[in-house]
């Protein structure tokens, strides 16, 4: 499990435009963190048959979610680093 301060409160969900556009909580900061936890724990895998890569890349890295987050989780920085790692391993 990633060592994060996310308490899964959901405050980042209502105003998050990516979640609104795709109509799925997976596209919220909380949803992406859950996907990353699944990858780190080995419960999920990255491959072309699922949309995890697309979901992680749909974040615009604008950082607006940080203003909604009571614990200050820098999700956009985490997603940017995850994308960098995905590109390094060639997925
Ligand atoms: S607002 Fe922050 S603590 Fe709450 S679910 Fe979103 S990322 Fe987690």
């Amino acid at each position: 499990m990633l060592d994060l301060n996310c308490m899964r409160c959901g405050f980042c969900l209502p105003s998050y435009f990516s979640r609104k556009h795709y109509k799925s909580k997976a596209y919220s900061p909380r949803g992406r963190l859950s996907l990353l936890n699944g990858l780190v724990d080995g419960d999920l895998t990255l491959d072309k048959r699922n949309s995890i890569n697309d979901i992680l890349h749909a974040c615009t890295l604008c950082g607006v979610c940080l203003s909604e987050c009571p614990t200050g989780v820098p999700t956009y920085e985490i997603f940017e680093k995850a994308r960098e790692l995905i590109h390094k391993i060639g997925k």
Side-chain angles (χ1 to χ4, degrees):
M1 185 148 216
L2 292 173
D3 183 20
L4 299 171
N5 292 327
C6 177
M7 55 187 181
R8 304 193 53 75
C9 63
F11 290 164
C12 56
L13 269 64
S15 62
Y16 197 66
F17 57 87
S18 179
R19 182 200 62 80
K20 283 185 198 169
H21 177 76
Y22 291 102
K23 299 182 177 19
S24 168
K25 289 180 183 174
Y27 285 85
S28 68
R30 186 178 75 178
R32 289 190 180 99
L33 288 175
S34 294
L35 291 172
L36 285 178
N37 273 325
L39 291 172
V40 170
D41 292 344
D43 297 328
L44 298 172
T45 56
L46 275 176
D47 68 41
K48 299 193 184 331
R49 289 169 295 174
N50 65 40
S51 55
I52 294 174
N53 204 351
D54 292 340
I55 293 170
L56 291 173
H57 280 78
C59 173
T60 62
L61 306 178
C62 67
V64 72
C65 53
L66 190 55
S67 66
E68 307 288 333
C69 181
T71 57
V73 181
T75 51
Y76 65 99
E77 291 178 7
I78 295 164
F79 304 145
E80 185 177 28
K81 190 67 183 172
R83 283 152 46 161
E84 184 183 320
L85 292 172
I86 289 168
H87 288 277
K88 275 188 186 161
I89 62 174
K91 290 282 184 173

